[in-house]
Amino acid sequence: QPLAEFKQISKTYPNGTVALSEVSFSIEAGDIHAICGENGAGKSTLMKILFGLERPSSGSLVIEGVPTVFASPRDAGAHGIGMVHQHFSLLPSLTVAENIVLGYEPRIGGVLFDRRKARKTVQGLSDRYGLSVDPDALVSSLSVAMQQKVEILKALSREARLLILDEPTAVLTPVETEELFERLIALKREGVTTLFISHKLKEVRALASDVTVLRNGKVSGSAALRDVTDAE
Ligand code: ADP
Ligand code: ADP
């Protein structure tokens, strides 16, 4: 069964804008699934529903066979959905290990931070997922590509099984993009599922096993990539 399934999901915002209309598609476990579409197509709205930031107006989101409405990102996170934000959630004045261990809502002063344990946690994650980072580096000293890597590790440290990447290549050079793709393919081998949001159908061809194309809030194509390349 699919890891996540959108079943005839529609979303109308309070001002009357119809962002999604009867959108249906499935994200299979272990896939790199791309969502493509131009600005305004509904990609962010779809992602927000999957991450508990918006509620569908109708239709249902089915997670591993169970109809689900996520109340918040925390709720989505508890179900194994992890977000790699386009604008990162890292605190620049803290180290990599501090960011990963303290999570998304750090209670500064409210936690006793065990530096050695944090370093071990980060080392364990790096080894497990083949993503090398220096746990003691200050986030502010890292390149954007490296910060994105830390974001990915942070999501994985919260037991994410489905990683959402929202336009992740927008901030990367071509070489860094290539590295990101290799990283995602390696994660796929570890059983991590990826939802890759992009407005460039061309760039996902090399990466995704499945693609859903959105146009004006509707699915205009959903197929194995080789079948849609002519449609571009
Ligand atoms: P994309 O991510 O593909 O650019 P969005 O999901 O952001 O698409 O937007 C889909 C449509 O919904 C657009 O017409 C956009 O202007 C509209 N929209 C997005 N967010 C809101 C909102 N909070 N209120 C009203 N309209 C919105
Ligand atoms: P705790 O330390 O209590 O586990 P966190 O602050 O790490 O809590 O986050 C709680 C949950 O909410 C996590 O499962 C996380 O995935 C999710 N979450 C909250 N905000 C975000 C966010 N901005 N981006 C990604 N995940 C988030």
Side-chain angles (χ1 to χ4, degrees):
Q1 78 187 9
L3 180 51
E5 196 177 356
F6 280 68
K7 279 191 162 169
Q8 296 189 297
I9 287 189
S10 298
K11 174 68 182 179
T12 304
Y13 283 107
N15 70 358
T17 305
V18 179
L20 297 175
S21 92
E22 310 235 317
V23 167
S24 299
F25 71 97
S26 305
I27 303 168
E28 301 297 333
D31 264 5
I32 297 177
H33 190 119
I35 302 289
C36 289
E38 292 173 3
N39 278 342
K43 304 182 299 296
S44 299
T45 301
L46 185 152
M47 169 217 57
K48 285 177 181 168
I49 289 171
L50 187 56
F51 194 55
L53 289 167
E54 290 288 351
R55 252 61 68 205
S57 309
S58 64
S60 58
L61 173 63
V62 180
I63 303 294
E64 291 181 316
V66 183
T68 307
V69 177
F70 292 135
S72 63
R74 177 180 288 268
D75 190 16
H79 284 81
I81 316 284
M83 173 72 70
V84 179
H85 295 267
Q86 192 178 13
H87 302 287
F88 301 140
S89 68
L90 306 174
L91 297 172
S93 61
L94 299 183
T95 66
V96 167
E98 286 164 342
N99 267 283
I100 289 177
V101 171
L102 293 176
Y104 292 97
E105 294 144 31
R107 286 145 293 241
I108 304 287
V111 284
L112 260 182
F113 189 74
D114 184 337
R115 204 163 291 280
R116 262 183 38 161
K117 200 171 148 206
R119 203 177 282 135
K120 256 181 88 176
T121 302
V122 172
Q123 205 53 59
L125 284 163
S126 294
D127 292 349
R128 175 167 166 203
Y129 294 110
L131 294 168
S132 57
V133 291
D134 172 5
D136 295 321
L138 279 180
V139 163
S140 59
S141 73
L142 301 178
S143 69
V144 167
M146 192 59 89
Q147 291 185 34
Q148 186 180 64
K149 201 163 156 181
V150 176
E151 272 287 331
I152 292 173
L153 270 183
K154 182 170 158 185
L156 292 170
S157 77
R158 259 76 203 146
E159 304 290 327
R161 289 171 298 143
L162 172 63
L163 278 186
I164 305 173
L165 288 101
D166 183 15
E167 301 277 358
T169 62
V171 292
L172 302 180
T173 65
V175 171
E176 290 166 344
T177 296
E178 199 54 46
E179 284 166 4
L180 172 68
F181 285 12
E182 282 167 19
R183 208 166 282 151
L184 294 176
I185 290 164
L187 286 177
K188 178 183 156 105
R189 281 190 225 110
E190 296 300 314
V192 176
T193 309
T194 297
L195 186 70
F196 187 100
I197 295 167
S198 172
H199 63 279
K200 292 187 242 167
L201 184 53
K202 206 169 174 180
E203 85 170 2
V204 305
R205 263 188 217 155
L207 179 72
S209 35
D210 245 308
V211 65
T212 297
V213 180
L214 284 181
R215 191 163 292 152
N216 295 324
K218 294 196 172 98
V219 175
S220 82
S222 188
L225 260 187
R226 58 183 174 281
D227 299 331
V228 297
T229 45
D230 293 338
E232 193 182 17

